[in-house]
């Protein structure tokens, strides 16, 4: 993975936060803003972001909440991320493009911590072995899970497997993301997502004026 690490000193930006907090909305806004500044930007997402990883996404986000064991789930997420990295992220960064990803490795760290905290060591070990890349900047959109959940479930996308874990789970996720912002203060920026779309977007785009 050394070759991968060498070429990532570019603009790799990720959005993280609980379900329905506005990640996809804000990622889209930021891509439009960066494009308007003249940058070549790709907008991608996890799980998914490459043909193979999108196939794995369906296995992860659809179906019963207890469909996979925690261990199997970590392996599926890591497999999807590796394909996303190889096929989409690294080639784009190597070509001088900016990459805006809706979720990345932080989601696995936090979701795993919220379900089976004792497996966090495996998450970190797999990340070091198979991914080995951190974003240059991560926006963590923070808000009350009750308000966020009502936004998310209202969409009825058929991809509600994680939302179906319930409110307690979302509360643990929120705390997990807040802890993560403290663990990685250099790259993480905490954003208050409870406000209107324009107000949230203004905070984010202001970083790239
Ligand atoms: N600041 C906001 N205020 C009100 N509604 C919002 C705001 N941001 C997003 N929404 C709406 O809330 C819903 C969820 O937003 P979005 O899809 O961007 O969240 P998400 O974090 O990507 O969710 P998920 O984790 O489920 O993918 C959408 O219908 C979106 O239009
Ligand atoms: Mg989304």
């Amino acid at each position: 993975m050394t070759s991968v690490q060498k070429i990532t000193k570019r603009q790799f930006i990720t959005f993280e936060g609980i379900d329905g907090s506005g990640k996809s909305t804000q990622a889209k806004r930021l891509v439009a803003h960066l494009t308007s500044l003249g940058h070549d930007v790709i907008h991608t997402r996890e799980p998914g972001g490459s043909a193979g990883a999108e196939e794995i996404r369906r296995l992860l986000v659809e179906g019963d909440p207890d469909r996979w064991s925690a261990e199997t789930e970590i392996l599926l997420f890591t497999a999807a991320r590796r394909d996303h990295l190889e096929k989409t992220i690294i080639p784009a960064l190597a070509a001088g493009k900016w990459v805006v990803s809706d979720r990345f490795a932080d989601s696995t760290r936090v979701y795993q911590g919220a379900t089976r905290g004792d497996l966090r060591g495996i998450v970190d070990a797999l990340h070091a072995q198979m991914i080995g890349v951190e974003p240059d900047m991560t926006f963590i959109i923070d808000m009350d899970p009750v308000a966020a959940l009502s936004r998310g479930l209202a969409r009825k996308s058929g991809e509600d497997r994680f939302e179906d874990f319930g409110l307690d789970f979302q509360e643990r996720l929120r705390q997990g993301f807040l802890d993560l912002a403290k663990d990685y203060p250099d790259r993480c920026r905490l954003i208050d997502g409870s406000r209107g779309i324009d107000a949230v977007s203004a905070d984010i785009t202001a970083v790239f004026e």
Side-chain angles (χ1 to χ4, degrees):
M1 293 306 291
T2 353
S3 59
V4 165
Q5 281 163 326
K6 266 185 204 155
I7 56 170
T8 51
K9 278 291 132 213
R10 297 181 195 261
Q11 295 303 327
F12 176 27
I13 299 158
T14 57
F15 281 84
E16 299 282 1
I18 61 172
D19 297 317
S21 57
K23 298 177 296 297
S24 301
T25 303
Q26 295 300 330
K28 199 172 150 198
R29 289 280 188 109
L30 180 60
V31 167
H33 178 72
L34 291 172
T35 303
S36 77
L37 294 178
H39 299 300
D40 199 350
V41 192
I42 67 152
H43 184 185
T44 187
R45 68 162 182 185
E46 288 209 352
S50 62
E54 288 289 335
E55 289 195 40
I56 298 171
R57 177 188 178 94
R58 280 196 290 280
L59 299 176
L60 283 162
V61 300
E62 297 175 6
D64 291 340
D66 61 357
R67 181 177 187 182
W68 307 111
S69 73
E71 290 84 350
T72 310
E73 198 167 276
I74 294 169
L75 291 167
L76 286 169
F77 271 111
T78 307
R81 183 161 305 125
R82 175 74 197 206
D83 195 61
H84 184 208
L85 199 60
E86 287 178 7
K87 307 278 174 47
T88 303
I89 297 174
I90 296 301
L93 294 172
K97 296 176 185 173
W98 291 50
V99 175
V100 175
S101 185
D102 188 342
R103 296 191 184 281
F104 189 64
D106 293 327
S107 281
T108 310
R109 294 179 173 119
V110 168
Y111 278 64
Q112 200 55 58
T115 49
R116 290 273 303 275
D118 55 325
L119 295 180
R120 174 64 191 271
I122 291 177
V123 171
D124 291 341
L126 273 174
H127 180 82
Q129 287 286 322
M130 288 292 141
I131 310 299
V133 168
E134 299 296 345
D136 297 308
M137 188 171 296
T138 299
F139 292 102
I140 295 178
I141 306 184
D142 177 61
M143 68 179 292
D144 170 32
V146 177
L149 204 61
S150 68
R151 285 180 188 172
L153 287 177
R155 286 174 301 157
K156 294 207 190 313
S157 63
E159 291 192 339
D160 296 333
R161 184 171 161 256
F162 284 100
E163 278 104 331
D164 287 349
F165 276 107
L167 190 59
D168 278 358
F169 180 62
Q170 296 293 329
E171 295 279 8
R172 288 203 298 282
L173 292 180
R174 182 189 197 181
Q175 191 54 52
F177 280 117
L178 292 172
D179 292 344
L180 196 91
K182 286 193 196 121
D183 290 347
Y184 298 93
D186 292 344
R187 70 173 168 88
C188 290
R189 287 178 190 237
L190 207 55
I191 302 289
D192 174 6
S194 66
R195 300 162 298 155
I197 292 174
D198 289 344
V200 177
S201 176
D203 272 7
I204 294 166
T205 55
V207 174
F208 304 97
E209 293 300 341

